[in-house]
Amino acid sequence: MAFLLTLAGITGVASLTSGSADAASFGRFYVSGCGMPTTPVDTWTRWGNYKTVIALDGLRATSDVSGWRHETNIARLANSGVNVVEPVGGLASFYTDWERASPGNKIKYRYRWTCRLNTIVRELDARGLAVGPWGKYAIMGISMGGNAAMIYGAYHRARISHVYSMSGYLNLSAPTMREAVRLALADAGISAGVGPFDADAMWGPPWAERWSKNDALVQLPRMRGMKIRVAAGSATWGSYNVDAVASVKGTPLEAISLAQTRAFEVAAALQGIRVSTDFPNIGTHQWGYWQDMVWRAKNAKWFHDR
């Protein structure tokens, strides 16, 4: 059973825009269970909004706040129709249920993030946040969270209607991608000071069936009839590339994501599955570009049910 504690009653609920009677409100609640420690969920909501989106973080997610909150302004969506929900945590997890705890890592419990997301959705339901004609949620994510959003939506159509990947890796069972994921998980854990994560502990060895079951391109047929959107930058630097080191690291990541996202687009077209796309001429693996992708989706009315 999930343990829930709303921020109201601890520190109160804050208004997103000071002085406005109908401004969105910020709240935080906590969920536990699934064999993992309690984690927070931040929300920005307003009565009368037409959709609620769950925003998943990237590979280097931290345990205090989501990268979306720390690096972007997407909380302001809640002032103009879209409630925003940001689960906190999930470092190098791919927001999936792992096979086992990663050996040689300081995190001694088994990641069960699919279970955790299920719990979060139930708590959102209890708060009446399944708004809109379809009574379901949108889910989106960047990088690691991009593929995770697509896969979670594909397997949970009863509660998810919209899926959106930004700079995601959408064909993880393709040649060399398993090896790339292995290196990325190890590096993320070392950088975070918890020790390397072992990809075999996530979905099993490279030949295991779970790799294809968690491959968004392979699972495209499960998404037929959903509102699907994918985006990736061109790997060309622009106004958000102010940190040269981060930009150099992020450029090849975006190039790989662009190739995989284009492959997903082609696969969808061949199967007659409708997909909305956003391929700007400028953009690397940076939060500023992802923030803009979200606002372009909003302006294109993608978050609407109809």
Side-chain angles (χ1 to χ4, degrees):
M1 177 182 295
F3 168 77
L4 179 105
L5 183 62
T6 59
L7 186 63
I10 302 178
T11 60
V13 176
S15 172
L16 185 60
T17 304
S18 177
S20 177
D22 62 349
S25 295
F26 167 76
R28 169 171 279 200
F29 65 84
Y30 295 82
V31 289
S32 63
C34 304
M36 299 199 303
T38 298
T39 55
V41 180
D42 290 338
T43 64
W44 291 264
T45 60
R46 188 184 68 163
W47 185 89
N49 281 353
Y50 58 80
K51 197 68 179 177
T52 298
V53 63
I54 301 167
L56 301 182
D57 213 333
L59 190 73
R60 302 177 190 277
T62 59
S63 59
D64 52 352
V65 295
S66 168
W68 285 109
R69 180 178 175 188
H70 191 257
E71 302 287 348
T72 79
N73 66 7
I74 71 162
R76 296 178 186 173
L77 290 171
N79 278 335
S80 58
V82 181
N83 299 317
V84 177
V85 176
E86 297 176 3
V88 178
L91 170 69
S93 69
F94 273 86
Y95 293 100
T96 190
D97 285 352
W98 285 44
E99 293 285 313
R100 60 186 183 276
S102 189
N105 187 286
K106 293 180 181 178
I107 297 177
K108 299 303 181 184
Y109 56 88
R110 172 191 169 203
Y111 271 157
R112 293 190 65 205
W113 272 95
T114 302
C115 177
R116 179 55 50 88
L117 290 175
N118 290 343
T119 302
I120 290 170
V121 167
R122 288 194 297 271
E123 300 296 355
L124 297 177
D125 284 345
R127 284 164 175 71
L129 290 176
V131 296
W134 295 347
K136 299 181 182 181
Y137 301 96
I139 188 167
M140 65 184 185
I142 57 98
S143 193
M144 169 191 85
N147 183 79
M150 307 297 269
I151 288 298
Y152 186 81
Y155 284 102
H156 296 84
R157 294 177 58 119
R159 303 307 308 125
I160 305 293
S161 59
H162 296 46
V163 290
Y164 186 9
S165 166
M166 288 160 276
S167 304
Y169 302 102
L170 303 181
N171 191 193
L172 291 177
S173 61
T176 75
M177 282 307 296
R178 296 175 177 89
E179 292 77 12
V181 170
R182 182 178 300 277
L183 292 173
L185 292 183
D187 180 65
I190 293 170
S191 297
V194 299
F197 288 93
D198 181 0
D200 289 352
M202 182 168 67
W203 293 322
W207 54 86
E209 186 180 17
R210 288 197 69 200
W211 282 87
S212 60
K213 286 186 173 181
N214 286 279
D215 185 316
L217 189 150
V218 174
Q219 299 306 324
L220 243 174
R222 293 180 179 271
M223 301 178 217
R224 185 182 297 274
M226 303 181 78
K227 290 194 75 170
I228 307 168
R229 188 173 176 92
V230 295
S234 65
T236 301
W237 290 23
S239 59
Y240 293 116
N241 295 97
V242 295
D243 183 331
V245 174
S247 296
V248 168
K249 290 181 178 179
T251 298
L253 296 176
E254 197 68 14
I256 295 169
S257 169
L258 176 61
Q260 292 231 317
T261 304
R262 286 291 192 183
F264 182 94
E265 178 191 27
V266 171
L270 291 174
Q271 296 176 57
I273 298 174
R274 186 176 178 180
V275 175
S276 170
T277 62
D278 182 7
F279 294 110
N281 292 328
I282 292 174
T284 61
H285 229 61
Q286 305 281 130
W287 281 105
Y289 299 114
W290 297 323
Q291 172 183 281
D292 289 352
M293 288 173 179
V294 173
W295 284 105
R296 284 196 293 270
K298 170 71 163 48
N299 294 336
K301 301 187 183 302
W302 181 80
F303 289 105
H304 286 264
D305 282 347
R306 296 191 179 95

mmCIF file of all heavy atoms in Angstrom, residues 45-81:
data_model
loop_
_atom_site.group_PDB
_atom_site.id
_atom_site.type_symbol
_atom_site.label_atom_id
_atom_site.label_comp_id
_atom_site.label_asym_id
_atom_site.label_seq_id
_atom_site.Cartn_x
_atom_site.Cartn_y
_atom_site.Cartn_z
ATOM 1 N N THR A 45 -1.035 22.396 -10.254
ATOM 2 C CA THR A 45 -2.386 22.121 -10.719
ATOM 3 C C THR A 45 -3.267 23.365 -10.616
ATOM 4 O O THR A 45 -3.028 24.256 -9.797
ATOM 5 C CB THR A 45 -3.028 20.985 -9.900
ATOM 6 O OG1 THR A 45 -3.085 21.380 -8.519
ATOM 7 C CG2 THR A 45 -2.221 19.698 -10.015
ATOM 8 N N ARG A 46 -4.311 23.387 -11.440
ATOM 9 C CA ARG A 46 -5.289 24.452 -11.385
ATOM 10 C C ARG A 46 -6.645 23.882 -11.768
ATOM 11 O O ARG A 46 -6.759 23.098 -12.720
ATOM 12 C CB ARG A 46 -4.919 25.591 -12.349
ATOM 13 C CG ARG A 46 -5.792 26.834 -12.199
ATOM 14 C CD ARG A 46 -5.451 27.887 -13.223
ATOM 15 N NE ARG A 46 -5.809 27.448 -14.564
ATOM 16 C CZ ARG A 46 -5.934 28.275 -15.619
ATOM 17 N NH1 ARG A 46 -5.683 29.564 -15.471
ATOM 18 N NH2 ARG A 46 -6.254 27.818 -16.803
ATOM 19 N N TRP A 47 -7.672 24.255 -11.035
ATOM 20 C CA TRP A 47 -9.014 23.793 -11.343
ATOM 21 C C TRP A 47 -9.402 24.251 -12.744
ATOM 22 O O TRP A 47 -9.158 25.387 -13.133
ATOM 23 C CB TRP A 47 -10.012 24.348 -10.321
ATOM 24 C CG TRP A 47 -11.388 23.798 -10.522
ATOM 25 C CD1 TRP A 47 -11.917 22.666 -9.989
ATOM 26 C CD2 TRP A 47 -12.416 24.359 -11.345
ATOM 27 N NE1 TRP A 47 -13.200 22.478 -10.418
ATOM 28 C CE2 TRP A 47 -13.532 23.512 -11.264
ATOM 29 C CE3 TRP A 47 -12.497 25.503 -12.140
ATOM 30 C CZ2 TRP A 47 -14.725 23.756 -11.942
ATOM 31 C CZ3 TRP A 47 -13.667 25.757 -12.839
ATOM 32 C CH2 TRP A 47 -14.763 24.891 -12.729
ATOM 33 N N GLY A 48 -9.994 23.345 -13.515
ATOM 34 C CA GLY A 48 -10.436 23.676 -14.860
ATOM 35 C C GLY A 48 -9.457 23.353 -15.955
ATOM 36 O O GLY A 48 -9.785 23.499 -17.143
ATOM 37 N N ASN A 49 -8.248 22.912 -15.606
ATOM 38 C CA ASN A 49 -7.292 22.525 -16.637
ATOM 39 C C ASN A 49 -7.794 21.308 -17.416
ATOM 40 O O ASN A 49 -8.548 20.489 -16.888
ATOM 41 C CB ASN A 49 -5.925 22.242 -16.019
ATOM 42 C CG ASN A 49 -5.161 23.519 -15.714
ATOM 43 O OD1 ASN A 49 -5.592 24.615 -16.075
ATOM 44 N ND2 ASN A 49 -4.022 23.391 -15.057
ATOM 45 N N TYR A 50 -7.345 21.180 -18.660
ATOM 46 C CA TYR A 50 -7.896 20.158 -19.548
ATOM 47 C C TYR A 50 -7.047 18.888 -19.654
ATOM 48 O O TYR A 50 -7.489 17.896 -20.236
ATOM 49 C CB TYR A 50 -8.136 20.733 -20.948
ATOM 50 C CG TYR A 50 -6.906 21.310 -21.630
ATOM 51 C CD1 TYR A 50 -5.972 20.495 -22.264
ATOM 52 C CD2 TYR A 50 -6.703 22.687 -21.656
ATOM 53 C CE1 TYR A 50 -4.868 21.021 -22.888
ATOM 54 C CE2 TYR A 50 -5.594 23.230 -22.289
ATOM 55 C CZ TYR A 50 -4.680 22.406 -22.910
ATOM 56 O OH TYR A 50 -3.579 22.928 -23.536
ATOM 57 N N LYS A 51 -5.828 18.885 -19.100
ATOM 58 C CA LYS A 51 -4.979 17.696 -19.173
ATOM 59 C C LYS A 51 -3.971 17.716 -18.038
ATOM 60 O O LYS A 51 -3.616 18.787 -17.515
ATOM 61 C CB LYS A 51 -4.238 17.635 -20.516
ATOM 62 C CG LYS A 51 -3.664 16.256 -20.857
ATOM 63 C CD LYS A 51 -4.775 15.250 -21.127
ATOM 64 C CE LYS A 51 -4.240 13.871 -21.484
ATOM 65 N NZ LYS A 51 -5.340 12.909 -21.671
ATOM 66 N N THR A 52 -3.498 16.540 -17.663
ATOM 67 C CA THR A 52 -2.407 16.405 -16.701
ATOM 68 C C THR A 52 -1.288 15.617 -17.363
ATOM 69 O O THR A 52 -1.525 14.544 -17.924
ATOM 70 C CB THR A 52 -2.870 15.675 -15.428
ATOM 71 O OG1 THR A 52 -3.888 16.437 -14.780
ATOM 72 C CG2 THR A 52 -1.705 15.447 -14.468
ATOM 73 N N VAL A 53 -0.066 16.158 -17.308
ATOM 74 C CA VAL A 53 1.083 15.477 -17.888
ATOM 75 C C VAL A 53 2.058 15.079 -16.790
ATOM 76 O O VAL A 53 2.338 15.847 -15.876
ATOM 77 C CB VAL A 53 1.789 16.352 -18.948
ATOM 78 C CG1 VAL A 53 2.356 17.640 -18.350
ATOM 79 C CG2 VAL A 53 2.893 15.565 -19.650
ATOM 80 N N ILE A 54 2.556 13.854 -16.875
ATOM 81 C CA ILE A 54 3.594 13.338 -15.990
ATOM 82 C C ILE A 54 4.925 13.494 -16.721
ATOM 83 O O ILE A 54 5.094 12.976 -17.825
ATOM 84 C CB ILE A 54 3.343 11.860 -15.645
ATOM 85 C CG1 ILE A 54 1.973 11.685 -14.972
ATOM 86 C CG2 ILE A 54 4.469 11.306 -14.761
ATOM 87 C CD1 ILE A 54 1.513 10.247 -14.887
ATOM 88 N N ALA A 55 5.870 14.230 -16.117
ATOM 89 C CA ALA A 55 7.145 14.539 -16.761
ATOM 90 C C ALA A 55 8.267 13.725 -16.123
ATOM 91 O O ALA A 55 8.579 13.903 -14.940
ATOM 92 C CB ALA A 55 7.446 16.029 -16.655
ATOM 93 N N LEU A 56 8.878 12.842 -16.900
ATOM 94 C CA LEU A 56 9.960 11.992 -16.408
ATOM 95 C C LEU A 56 11.318 12.649 -16.666
ATOM 96 O O LEU A 56 11.525 13.326 -17.674
ATOM 97 C CB LEU A 56 9.913 10.621 -17.080
ATOM 98 C CG LEU A 56 8.612 9.823 -16.891
ATOM 99 C CD1 LEU A 56 8.730 8.465 -17.563
ATOM 100 C CD2 LEU A 56 8.273 9.667 -15.412
ATOM 101 N N ASP A 57 12.241 12.399 -15.783
ATOM 102 C CA ASP A 57 13.573 13.005 -15.787
ATOM 103 C C ASP A 57 14.524 12.226 -16.702
ATOM 104 O O ASP A 57 14.158 11.210 -17.306
ATOM 105 C CB ASP A 57 14.100 13.027 -14.351
ATOM 106 C CG ASP A 57 14.989 14.227 -14.060
ATOM 107 O OD1 ASP A 57 15.618 14.759 -14.997
ATOM 108 O OD2 ASP A 57 15.058 14.630 -12.885
ATOM 109 N N GLY A 58 15.764 12.690 -16.748
ATOM 110 C CA GLY A 58 16.801 12.040 -17.528
ATOM 111 C C GLY A 58 17.646 11.090 -16.694
ATOM 112 O O GLY A 58 17.365 10.827 -15.527
ATOM 113 N N LEU A 59 18.714 10.589 -17.292
ATOM 114 C CA LEU A 59 19.548 9.551 -16.691
ATOM 115 C C LEU A 59 20.123 9.962 -15.348
ATOM 116 O O LEU A 59 20.256 9.142 -14.443
ATOM 117 C CB LEU A 59 20.684 9.204 -17.656
ATOM 118 C CG LEU A 59 21.530 7.988 -17.311
ATOM 119 C CD1 LEU A 59 20.750 6.704 -17.571
ATOM 120 C CD2 LEU A 59 22.822 7.972 -18.146
ATOM 121 N N ARG A 60 20.450 11.232 -15.182
ATOM 122 C CA ARG A 60 21.113 11.718 -13.970
ATOM 123 C C ARG A 60 20.138 12.365 -12.992
ATOM 124 O O ARG A 60 20.470 13.323 -12.295
ATOM 125 C CB ARG A 60 22.253 12.668 -14.350
ATOM 126 C CG ARG A 60 23.274 11.979 -15.254
ATOM 127 C CD ARG A 60 24.386 12.889 -15.716
ATOM 128 N NE ARG A 60 25.172 12.244 -16.754
ATOM 129 C CZ ARG A 60 26.165 11.380 -16.531
ATOM 130 N NH1 ARG A 60 26.497 11.075 -15.285
ATOM 131 N NH2 ARG A 60 26.817 10.832 -17.536
ATOM 132 N N ALA A 61 18.942 11.826 -12.934
ATOM 133 C CA ALA A 61 17.913 12.329 -12.015
ATOM 134 C C ALA A 61 18.438 12.344 -10.583
ATOM 135 O O ALA A 61 19.150 11.426 -10.154
ATOM 136 C CB ALA A 61 16.665 11.451 -12.099
ATOM 137 N N THR A 62 18.076 13.386 -9.835
ATOM 138 C CA THR A 62 18.510 13.512 -8.448
ATOM 139 C C THR A 62 17.337 13.236 -7.506
ATOM 140 O O THR A 62 16.186 13.147 -7.931
ATOM 141 C CB THR A 62 19.074 14.916 -8.179
ATOM 142 O OG1 THR A 62 18.061 15.891 -8.456
ATOM 143 C CG2 THR A 62 20.285 15.185 -9.065
ATOM 144 N N SER A 63 17.629 13.142 -6.223
ATOM 145 C CA SER A 63 16.612 12.749 -5.251
ATOM 146 C C SER A 63 15.925 13.932 -4.573
ATOM 147 O O SER A 63 15.060 13.735 -3.725
ATOM 148 C CB SER A 63 17.237 11.848 -4.178
ATOM 149 O OG SER A 63 18.293 12.532 -3.503
ATOM 150 N N ASP A 64 16.323 15.174 -4.924
ATOM 151 C CA ASP A 64 15.718 16.348 -4.267
ATOM 152 C C ASP A 64 14.592 16.959 -5.089
ATOM 153 O O ASP A 64 13.485 17.149 -4.596
ATOM 154 C CB ASP A 64 16.787 17.388 -3.934
ATOM 155 C CG ASP A 64 17.650 17.765 -5.133
ATOM 156 O OD1 ASP A 64 17.525 17.120 -6.203
ATOM 157 O OD2 ASP A 64 18.439 18.724 -5.017
ATOM 158 N N VAL A 65 14.870 17.287 -6.352
ATOM 159 C CA VAL A 65 13.848 17.804 -7.258
ATOM 160 C C VAL A 65 14.113 17.251 -8.652
ATOM 161 O O VAL A 65 15.230 16.839 -8.972
ATOM 162 C CB VAL A 65 13.831 19.347 -7.334
ATOM 163 C CG1 VAL A 65 13.443 19.957 -6.007
ATOM 164 C CG2 VAL A 65 15.160 19.897 -7.824
ATOM 165 N N SER A 66 13.078 17.269 -9.475
ATOM 166 C CA SER A 66 13.225 16.846 -10.863
ATOM 167 C C SER A 66 14.067 17.857 -11.636
ATOM 168 O O SER A 66 14.048 19.061 -11.356
ATOM 169 C CB SER A 66 11.850 16.717 -11.510
ATOM 170 O OG SER A 66 11.955 16.573 -12.917
ATOM 171 N N GLY A 67 14.776 17.372 -12.635
ATOM 172 C CA GLY A 67 15.479 18.279 -13.530
ATOM 173 C C GLY A 67 14.530 19.251 -14.211
ATOM 174 O O GLY A 67 14.908 20.385 -14.511
ATOM 175 N N TRP A 68 13.302 18.828 -14.447
ATOM 176 C CA TRP A 68 12.315 19.718 -15.056
ATOM 177 C C TRP A 68 12.076 20.946 -14.180
ATOM 178 O O TRP A 68 11.946 22.060 -14.686
ATOM 179 C CB TRP A 68 10.994 18.985 -15.267
ATOM 180 C CG TRP A 68 10.986 18.016 -16.393
ATOM 181 C CD1 TRP A 68 10.961 16.645 -16.314
ATOM 182 C CD2 TRP A 68 10.992 18.321 -17.795
ATOM 183 N NE1 TRP A 68 10.967 16.086 -17.559
ATOM 184 C CE2 TRP A 68 10.980 17.094 -18.496
ATOM 185 C CE3 TRP A 68 11.015 19.514 -18.520
ATOM 186 C CZ2 TRP A 68 10.982 17.032 -19.893
ATOM 187 C CZ3 TRP A 68 11.015 19.457 -19.909
ATOM 188 C CH2 TRP A 68 11.002 18.225 -20.586
ATOM 189 N N ARG A 69 12.011 20.730 -12.878
ATOM 190 C CA ARG A 69 11.783 21.852 -11.966
ATOM 191 C C ARG A 69 13.037 22.716 -11.834
ATOM 192 O O ARG A 69 12.965 23.945 -11.784
ATOM 193 C CB ARG A 69 11.349 21.333 -10.602
ATOM 194 C CG ARG A 69 11.080 22.437 -9.587
ATOM 195 C CD ARG A 69 10.608 21.870 -8.259
ATOM 196 N NE ARG A 69 10.465 22.932 -7.260
ATOM 197 C CZ ARG A 69 10.209 22.713 -5.977
ATOM 198 N NH1 ARG A 69 10.051 21.471 -5.540
ATOM 199 N NH2 ARG A 69 10.101 23.722 -5.134
ATOM 200 N N HIS A 70 14.179 22.067 -11.784
ATOM 201 C CA HIS A 70 15.432 22.779 -11.564
ATOM 202 C C HIS A 70 15.881 23.577 -12.781
ATOM 203 O O HIS A 70 16.482 24.649 -12.656
ATOM 204 C CB HIS A 70 16.523 21.775 -11.176
ATOM 205 C CG HIS A 70 17.784 22.394 -10.668
ATOM 206 N ND1 HIS A 70 18.919 22.484 -11.449
ATOM 207 C CD2 HIS A 70 18.101 22.966 -9.480
ATOM 208 C CE1 HIS A 70 19.882 23.081 -10.752
ATOM 209 N NE2 HIS A 70 19.410 23.377 -9.567
ATOM 210 N N GLU A 71 15.580 23.062 -13.979
ATOM 211 C CA GLU A 71 16.175 23.619 -15.195
ATOM 212 C C GLU A 71 15.186 24.290 -16.159
ATOM 213 O O GLU A 71 15.632 24.923 -17.121
ATOM 214 C CB GLU A 71 16.901 22.500 -15.967
ATOM 215 C CG GLU A 71 17.997 21.792 -15.180
ATOM 216 C CD GLU A 71 19.238 22.647 -14.994
ATOM 217 O OE1 GLU A 71 19.336 23.691 -15.662
ATOM 218 O OE2 GLU A 71 20.115 22.260 -14.207
ATOM 219 N N THR A 72 13.866 24.129 -15.946
ATOM 220 C CA THR A 72 12.916 24.643 -16.935
ATOM 221 C C THR A 72 11.764 25.398 -16.281
ATOM 222 O O THR A 72 11.619 25.413 -15.055
ATOM 223 C CB THR A 72 12.314 23.497 -17.782
ATOM 224 O OG1 THR A 72 11.284 22.818 -17.040
ATOM 225 C CG2 THR A 72 13.372 22.498 -18.212
ATOM 226 N N ASN A 73 10.921 25.955 -17.115
ATOM 227 C CA ASN A 73 9.742 26.679 -16.642
ATOM 228 C C ASN A 73 8.437 25.968 -16.978
ATOM 229 O O ASN A 73 7.372 26.602 -17.007
ATOM 230 C CB ASN A 73 9.722 28.101 -17.227
ATOM 231 C CG ASN A 73 9.532 28.109 -18.739
ATOM 232 O OD1 ASN A 73 9.277 27.081 -19.363
ATOM 233 N ND2 ASN A 73 9.656 29.285 -19.355
ATOM 234 N N ILE A 74 8.481 24.662 -17.240
ATOM 235 C CA ILE A 74 7.259 23.992 -17.700
ATOM 236 C C ILE A 74 6.163 23.951 -16.638
ATOM 237 O O ILE A 74 5.012 23.666 -16.967
ATOM 238 C CB ILE A 74 7.537 22.570 -18.234
ATOM 239 C CG1 ILE A 74 7.912 21.606 -17.089
ATOM 240 C CG2 ILE A 74 8.584 22.578 -19.328
ATOM 241 C CD1 ILE A 74 7.768 20.145 -17.471
ATOM 242 N N ALA A 75 6.489 24.235 -15.381
ATOM 243 C CA ALA A 75 5.437 24.325 -14.364
ATOM 244 C C ALA A 75 4.387 25.354 -14.755
ATOM 245 O O ALA A 75 3.213 25.253 -14.361
ATOM 246 C CB ALA A 75 6.042 24.678 -13.008
ATOM 247 N N ARG A 76 4.777 26.333 -15.563
ATOM 248 C CA ARG A 76 3.849 27.379 -15.977
ATOM 249 C C ARG A 76 2.762 26.866 -16.921
ATOM 250 O O ARG A 76 1.781 27.572 -17.177
ATOM 251 C CB ARG A 76 4.623 28.518 -16.646
ATOM 252 C CG ARG A 76 5.588 29.230 -15.708
ATOM 253 C CD ARG A 76 6.358 30.324 -16.420
ATOM 254 N NE ARG A 76 7.383 30.901 -15.557
ATOM 255 C CZ ARG A 76 8.289 31.787 -15.966
ATOM 256 N NH1 ARG A 76 8.302 32.173 -17.234
ATOM 257 N NH2 ARG A 76 9.190 32.271 -15.122
ATOM 258 N N LEU A 77 2.933 25.653 -17.441
ATOM 259 C CA LEU A 77 1.856 25.051 -18.228
ATOM 260 C C LEU A 77 0.557 25.024 -17.429
ATOM 261 O O LEU A 77 -0.537 25.129 -17.991
ATOM 262 C CB LEU A 77 2.215 23.615 -18.624
ATOM 263 C CG LEU A 77 3.320 23.374 -19.642
ATOM 264 C CD1 LEU A 77 3.636 21.881 -19.695
ATOM 265 C CD2 LEU A 77 2.924 23.879 -21.018
ATOM 266 N N ALA A 78 0.697 24.864 -16.118
ATOM 267 C CA ALA A 78 -0.484 24.726 -15.264
ATOM 268 C C ALA A 78 -1.313 26.001 -15.218
ATOM 269 O O ALA A 78 -2.485 25.962 -14.829
ATOM 270 C CB ALA A 78 -0.064 24.323 -13.853
ATOM 271 N N ASN A 79 -0.738 27.120 -15.603
ATOM 272 C CA ASN A 79 -1.494 28.375 -15.648
ATOM 273 C C ASN A 79 -2.325 28.508 -16.913
ATOM 274 O O ASN A 79 -3.126 29.442 -17.036
ATOM 275 C CB ASN A 79 -0.560 29.575 -15.542
ATOM 276 C CG ASN A 79 -0.181 29.886 -14.098
ATOM 277 O OD1 ASN A 79 -0.913 29.553 -13.177
ATOM 278 N ND2 ASN A 79 0.970 30.508 -13.915
ATOM 279 N N SER A 80 -2.137 27.591 -17.866
ATOM 280 C CA SER A 80 -2.835 27.730 -19.146
ATOM 281 C C SER A 80 -3.371 26.401 -19.681
ATOM 282 O O SER A 80 -3.391 26.173 -20.883
ATOM 283 C CB SER A 80 -1.920 28.375 -20.182
ATOM 284 O OG SER A 80 -0.735 27.616 -20.354
ATOM 285 N N GLY A 81 -3.776 25.521 -18.748
ATOM 286 C CA GLY A 81 -4.530 24.354 -19.191
ATOM 287 C C GLY A 81 -3.977 22.987 -18.877
ATOM 288 O O GLY A 81 -4.714 22.003 -18.915
#
